[in-house]
Amino acid sequence: MNEEVAIRRRLHANPERGFCEYRTTCLVVARLRELGAEVALGADIMVPELRMGVPGDVDRAWREALDEGLDPQTMAALRHGTTGAVGILRGRRPGRVVAVRADIDALPLTEDGDDGHRPHRLGFASTRPGTMHACGHDGHTAIALGLARRLADRDFAGTVKLLFQPAEEGLRGGRAMAASGVLDDVDDLICIHLGLGAPTGTVHPRTHGALASVKLRATFTGVAAHAGLAPEHGRSALLAAAAGALAVHAVGQHGSAATRVNVGALDCPGASNVVPASATLDLEVRADDTAACDLLADRVTAALRGSAAAYGVTCALETTGHAPQVRCDADLADRIAAVAARVPAVTAVGGSLADRASDDAAWLLDRVRAHGGRGTYLVIGADQAGGHHQSTFDIDEDALGVGVDLLDRVVRTLGAAC
Amino acid sequence: MNEEVAIRRRLHANPERGFCEYRTTCLVVARLRELGAEVALGADIMVPELRMGVPGDVDRAWREALDEGLDPQTMAALRHGTTGAVGILRGRRPGRVVAVRADIDALPLTEDGDDGHRPHRLGFASTRPGTMHACGHDGHTAIALGLARRLADRDFAGTVKLLFQPAEEGLRGGRAMAASGVLDDVDDLICIHLGLGAPTGTVHPRTHGALASVKLRATFTGVAAHAGLAPEHGRSALLAAAAGALAVHAVGQHGSAATRVNVGALDCPGASNVVPASATLDLEVRADDTAACDLLADRVTAALRGSAAAYGVTCALETTGHAPQVRCDADLADRIAAVAARVPAVTAVGGSLADRASDDAAWLLDRVRAHGGRGTYLVIGADQAGGHHQSTFDIDEDALGVGVDLLDRVVRTLGAAC
Amino acid sequence: MNEEVAIRRRLHANPERGFCEYRTTCLVVARLRELGAEVALGADIMVPELRMGVPGDVDRAWREALDEGLDPQTMAALRHGTTGAVGILRGRRPGRVVAVRADIDALPLTEDGDDGHRPHRLGFASTRPGTMHACGHDGHTAIALGLARRLADRDFAGTVKLLFQPAEEGLRGGRAMAASGVLDDVDDLICIHLGLGAPTGTVHPRTHGALASVKLRATFTGVAAHAGLAPEHGRSALLAAAAGALAVHAVGQHGSAATRVNVGALDCPGASNVVPASATLDLEVRADDTAACDLLADRVTAALRGSAAAYGVTCALETTGHAPQVRCDADLADRIAAVAARVPAVTAVGGSLADRASDDAAWLLDRVRAHGGRGTYLVIGADQAGGHHQSTFDIDEDALGVGVDLLDRVVRTLGAAC
Amino acid sequence: MNEEVAIRRRLHANPERGFCEYRTTCLVVARLRELGAEVALGADIMVPELRMGVPGDVDRAWREALDEGLDPQTMAALRHGTTGAVGILRGRRPGRVVAVRADIDALPLTEDGDDGHRPHRLGFASTRPGTMHACGHDGHTAIALGLARRLADRDFAGTVKLLFQPAEEGLRGGRAMAASGVLDDVDDLICIHLGLGAPTGTVHPRTHGALASVKLRATFTGVAAHAGLAPEHGRSALLAAAAGALAVHAVGQHGSAATRVNVGALDCPGASNVVPASATLDLEVRADDTAACDLLADRVTAALRGSAAAYGVTCALETTGHAPQVRCDADLADRIAAVAARVPAVTAVGGSLADRASDDAAWLLDRVRAHGGRGTYLVIGADQAGGHHQSTFDIDEDALGVGVDLLDRVVRTLGAAC
C-alpha cells in the first residue's frame, strides 16, 4: 500500500465536518513539515469573518480534538474553527507560482455498513457515525500530500503552493480563504476533483456548466399564543415560513439561464395548541450564470421577507454558503492537456467536462484571475462505487497515483514556463 | 293600492345602484316638497370625499338621468354622485329632534323573471337588467315618504328629519352622510329595516350581534414579460394576488370575537404566455366587535402588502366600504317598544333581534351618540319571498303600512318626550 | 400537612406524561386498596385500541418504572401504556351509582426553578425535567383519593366509582376509557377541575362554552432528489406540508359556531441541496359545537390530502387526540349547587362558568348520558400562581380540602336520591 | 406594388382569429382556384374533434362572414370553424411530393394607431379592433400564394402541396390538420416563418431550441355562500385557483431540460360578501424536450386537481393548445441551404437559428417523419418594426419576394430529387 492510499484511508476513517477539520489539518501540517514545506495557518490563510455557516459547536469539537493529544501549537492557530492549511514549497530555480487546491472536509452522512462496501470490508470505514468522506476529499488531500513528497527534492523552477481548504461542502470556506490574499502571488491555480463520472486513467483539464449557488437560512420569529383562547395575539412563524417556501419556488424561472431553487428543510417545533413563534428554513438557489444566481438570491430574499411581513413576522437571513460559477481558463487547460498526454498513467485526456455541481473553488479561481493569473478545475478520473454524496460512495485508489504523477509533471512544467 | 305601495313599486321597477340614485332622489325630493318639507341635498348632507367605492360611471349615469328629463336644479346638487336627500318637517310645538333613516339604493343583481315571482307577475319588476331592489330599500323609502305625508299636518312637537341615505350596499355612503353634520342636532335616530326574517306585524325595536365590516380593493401591479423567453423580467401580479388571497384567509381567527374574512373576486386578465402585470382583489373583513374588525383590517392589509412584496409587486389598497358595529340604545328601544305595543297594526313586539349583517347606519348611530343622542336599528317585520340579496326577493307590502303607522306614533311620542 | 396535600406534593414532584403514568397509577392503586376499595385496571377500564397519540416510548418508560421497584402485579396490568385505574366503593345501603372523574397526567413542560415559585421553594417541584403538573391534575388525583378515605366508612347509600383517567392532555385517554363500559351503570358523573380562574372557596357546578377538538398528525411522504441535478425526480414533502398548512387555516370559518384551526408544528429535516421527502404537521381544530368541529376536521383532512396530491406526495393522517364538546346537565348541577350551599368550606356557589378549553371528559359525560344518566363538569375554585399550562403554575392547596368536603357531601346526597 | 404585397396588405387589414379565418380562407381558395390548383377543405384537411381552444363564437363569426357575401359553397365547408385550406399543384413530370406550410391566423391585439406605424400611415392597418396580424402570418399566406402563382406553369417534377393552417397562435390547429392525413404522401415539408430577428435577405434553413408546449384552461367550481352568515356552506373556487396557481409554479424545475410554467390569467368574478363559486385559470407549460413537457403537463394537472380537492372544489381541465418540440431534419435543411446559396435575392444563408418559441408546425413535421419523410422550419429573414406579438409589429415587405423566389427554386429542386 503506497503512502497516498495509506493517508487516504486514515482520513477516510476519521472524517470531519467543515470548520471542524482539526485532526485532518494537524495531519496535513505534520506531514508538510516533515517534507520541509513552509506552513501557513489560521488567520494567515483565512478571513474568519468571511466564513459562512460555521457550526455552533466548533469550540466543543476543538476541545475534544485537543483532548485527543493533537499538537497544541497547531491547534492554537485553528481555534474557533479556522481550519485548513497552506504548504509552500520553493523550487531551487526561479519561476512561476503554481497552486494546487484540495478540499479536506467530509459530509454529514452515515457510511454504509454492508460487507459489499469496500471501506467497511477492509476496515477503514468512518469511525464517526453521521460523518463520512463521500465526495473524495480524503483522496484530494492524499494527492496533494503525495505531490508535496514528490516536490521535496526542490528540483523545480518556481514555487508551489498547496491549499488545503476547509468547508467546501455547503460552499462555506472558499470565500474566506480567497479573501486572505494567500493566492495573490499565484500565476496558475489548479483545483482538483476526483471522479465526477470519469473513469480511472482519464483526465479532464477543465469543466463547464457549473452552477453558481447561494445557500440561505431564514429564521422567522413571530408571537406565540394559545390557539384556542387568543389566536389573535399570535403571529405564526409557521405560516410565514410555509408561504415563504411556496413563494421562493415560484420566482426562479429564467429565459436564458438554468436555475434552481430548493427549500431543503423547515424546522418549526411546537404543540398543536400553540401558535408557533419560531421557524427556520434552509434553502439554496443555483444558476449556470453568476448574475442570474445573484438575481435569484435577491428575489428569494424578497420572497422570504415579504412572506414574513404578510404574517406579521420578522425574518432574519443568514448566508450559509455561497459560490460564483466555476470558470476555467482554456489556455491553462490546454497546457495541462499537453502535459497529461505524456504521463504514462493517464490513459485518455478528455475535453471540457460538463458538470452541474457547485464548488467554492470558484472564489479562488476568480481571485487568481483578478490579478491576471489563470485557473482551472481539473478532474482526475476515478472509478466509483456509489454516487457522490451517497453512503456507498468509494473511489478506485489507483486514481490517487495517477493524480500525483500528473500534478508532479504539471507543476514542474508550469513553474518553468516563461 | 295605497300610496306607499305605489311608490315602492315605482322604485322597485326603477332600481339604481349606490351613488347613482338620481331618479330615486328626484322622486323623493319632489314628494317631500309637495308635502311642504324642507329639503337638504348634496354637499349639505354628505362629505363627498368620505364616500367610498364610488363607481367610475357616476357621471355617465348622471348624464343619462338628466337626459330623461329629471329636474335640472335637483340634478345639479347631485352631480358627481352626491345622491340622497334629507327632508325636514318642523312640528308646531317645540320638542326633540327625531330622525328616521331609510336607505335608497339597489343591488347589482338581475331580478327573477319567473311567473312565480310576484313583481314580475304583477308587472313592477326591475326594468334595469343587472340592478334590483333585493333588500327592501324600496320599501324603506316608501315608508319614510309615507311618514312624511302623515306628518304634513305639523301637528306634533319637535322636528322630524327624514334621511334618505345613498349607497348602503357595500357600506359606502353612511360615513359621508354622518360626517356632514346633518345629524348633529338629532336627539333620537331610528334606522329602519324591513324583513330580516321577522313576519309581517312583528316589530323588533333593536338588534344585536351585527358585524362591523371593512371592504377593500387591492390592486397589484407587477411587470409583464414573455413567459417563455424572459420570465425573469416578469413580476406576476397574479401570484402576488393568489398568495395574498391565501394569506388574508389565514390571519382572521379571534378568541373573543366572531370574525370573517372573504376574498370575493379576483380579476387578472391576460394570456397564458405572458406574465400577468395586473390583478385586482375584492375582499371584506367583519367582526362582531369594532376593535376586532379594525385589527383584522390591519392584519389583512399587512398580508396583502407583504404578499405583494414577496413577489416584487406593488399593492394599492382602496377602502371601498366600511362600517363599525351597529349598536342600539336599550332605553330608546324600550320607548319604541312601549309605543309599538299600542299600535293596532303591530301584532307582536319582539325583543332584540340577533342579526349577523352589517349596515353603515352604524356611522349615523355613533354620530348621534357622540353628542349625547340615542339611536336604534328598528326591524319592521315583513313576510318575504326569497332571501335578502336573492333574485327572488320580495316583501309583503302590508308591512309598509305597519311601518308608517308605527313610525307616525313613535316620532310624535319621542318628539314630545321631556 | 393533611393527607391530600401530601399526596398532591408527592405527585407534583413525580409528574408523568399521558399513558406513562405508571408510578401515579401504582400510588393510586395502593392507596385505594388500603382503603378497601375494589380496583379495576388495564383492559377492564380502557379499550387500548381507542387510545390516541400513544407515545412511542411507553414500553421503555414501563421498563424504567418497573426497575424502580413498582408492584409487578399492578404493572402487568398497565403494560404497553394502559395506565389509569377505577376504584369502586360500595355503600352499606342500596342507592344510585355516582362517579367522580379525576385526570392524572402531566404536561411536557419544564417547571420554573425560581425561588418565587412555591413548589421549588418548598422542595416539591418536578424532579423530571420536561414534565410538570401544570394543570392541577395532581390536585384532582389527591382530591379523589381524599374522597376515597372519607367513604371508607361505607356509611352511605349506593356505589361510588372513582375514575383516575390517563392522558387527558391532548384529549387522548377519555375515549378509550368511555368505551370500556366502566361507566355504563353510572347514574351521575362528576368530572372535577381545579382553578380555571375561580378563587379558593368558590364552586361552579357546571360550565358552558367548551370547545370540541380534534388533534391530527399529518405525515407527508414524497421522493428525495438532488435539487441541482434532478429536481424533476423529487416530490417535495415540504411544499405539500406548506400548502397544507396554509389551506387548513383558510377553511375554518363558520357562521354560527366559534371555530379554531392551528398548525402548531412542522418538522421537515434535511439539507438545502436535497428535495425533502418527509414532513410532519401537528395541528388541531376546535369548535363550540361538536358537529361544526367534525365538519372542520373533515375539511382539514381534505385540505391536507388535496395539498399532498397537488405536490405528488402521500399524506397519512393520525388522530392524536379528540373530544366532543363538554356538556353539562343543569338538573345535576342544580343538585350539586344545593348541596354546595350547605358546605362550610364553600364560600360562594357560582353559576355556569364560561370555559373555552377542551376536555375529553366529554366522552365520559356523553357515555353516561347515552344510557340515561347525568353528568357535569364541576369547577372547584383555587387561587393560582401562574396560568394553566405555564411553568409557574401552582394552586392554593386549601382548595383540596374544599373539594374533598364538597364531594363527600355530594356523593352521599346523590347516592341516596330516589 | 407586386401581388404578394397587395395580398399581404389586404390580409393585414382584415385579420381573423384562429378558427374564424373565414374571409382569409375564402380569399386563399379563390386565388388557388384561379391558378388552377386543386383545393381541399374542411374535414378533408382537418379532424374537427382534434382542434383545441375553439372559441365559443365561431358560428356567430361564420354567420357574419356569410352575410358579407362570401362564397356559400366554400363557406359550407368551413362551417363551425373548420377553416384553412390545402392547395395541390401537380407538375407535368413525376417526382416527389413537397409541402409548404403557411399559418393564416391573427392575434387578439389592437394595432398601433400612431403615424409612426407604417400600416397605419399607409392605410392598411387592421380594420378590426382587437385583432391584428402581429406575427407575420399575413406575409406567410401571401408568400404561399405567390409560390402558387409561380408554379401555375406546371413545369416541374412532382407535386406541391400548399398548407394554409388555421389557429397556429395558441397551438390550436396543427394537431387537427396533421391527423387528417393530408400530409401522409408528403416527402418534404417546409414550414416557413418570417422575421424572428433575421434581417431581410438572410435565410435560416432550420431552427433549434424550440419549446414544446401545452396550454390549459382550468375551471374551478365550488359553492357560493354568504361570507358573513354561513361561510361554512361555501367552497371558494378562488382559494382553490390561488393555491393551484402557486402550486403549478413550484413543480416545474428540471435538471436536464429548460422548462417554463406560467399562469397568465385568473378570472374569478364576484362580490366581496359572497364566497366565490367559479374561477378560471389560463396557463401554459413549455420545455425544450417533449417528454419533459409532457411530464410537466402531468405535474401541473395534478397540482391543479389536488389544489381543488384541498378546498372542496372541482376542477375541469381543457387542453386549449398543444405542440411537441419543433425538430428539423439536417439533410433537408442542407439541401435548402444549397439551393438558397444560388438565389440572387438571398444575401446570406445562415445556420440553424436558435428559437425559444413554440409552433404547432411540430405536429405536421412529426407526421411527415412518421412515414419516412423529412421536414424543416425555414426562417425567411425580414427586417421588423416592433417585436413579434406587439402592436407596433410590421415586416419589411421586400422579404415576401425573397420568400417566393427561394421557395420557387426549392420546391422545383426537391421535387426533382431522386
Side-chain angles (χ1 to χ4, degrees), chain D residues 314-408:
Chain D
T314 62
C315 174
L317 282 163
E318 179 194 2
T319 301
T320 53
H322 186 190
Q325 201 181 3
V326 167
R327 290 180 300 129
C328 296
D329 292 302
D331 56 345
L332 177 58
D334 290 346
R335 293 297 294 257
I336 294 172
V339 175
R342 298 190 307 267
V343 175
V346 174
T347 54
V349 180
S352 180
L353 185 75
D355 177 23
R356 279 296 194 194
S358 304
D359 194 306
D360 66 357
W363 294 106
L364 306 173
L365 292 164
D366 284 355
R367 182 82 179 199
V368 167
R369 258 190 298 271
H371 63 72
R374 303 178 301 183
T376 195
Y377 195 83
L378 167 67
V379 178
I380 301 166
D383 297 335
Q384 301 173 214
H388 290 268
H389 293 210
Q390 295 183 351
S391 65
T392 55
F393 181 79
D394 189 21
I395 50 162
D396 176 8
E397 290 168 328
D398 286 350
L400 305 179
V402 177
V404 173
D405 280 0
L406 172 65
L407 288 169
D408 187 1

Side-chain angles (χ1 to χ4, degrees), chain D residues 128-149:
Chain D
R128 301 176 172 271
T131 311
M132 176 186 174
H133 270 296
C135 195
H137 298 191
D138 48 352
H140 304 168
T141 307
I143 289 172
L145 288 177
L147 177 61
R149 190 185 70 245

Side-chain angles (χ1 to χ4, degrees), chain A residues 92-109:
Chain A
R92 292 198 196 119
R93 297 181 294 283
R96 292 160 58 85
V97 182
V98 180
V100 174
R101 177 265 205 173
D103 39 14
I104 63 175
D105 57 321
L107 283 157
L109 203 67

Side-chain angles (χ1 to χ4, degrees), chain A residues 347-369:
Chain A
T347 55
V349 180
S352 181
L353 184 74
D355 176 23
R356 279 297 193 192
S358 303
D359 194 307
D360 65 358
W363 294 107
L364 307 173
L365 293 164
D366 283 356
R367 182 81 178 199
V368 167
R369 256 190 298 271

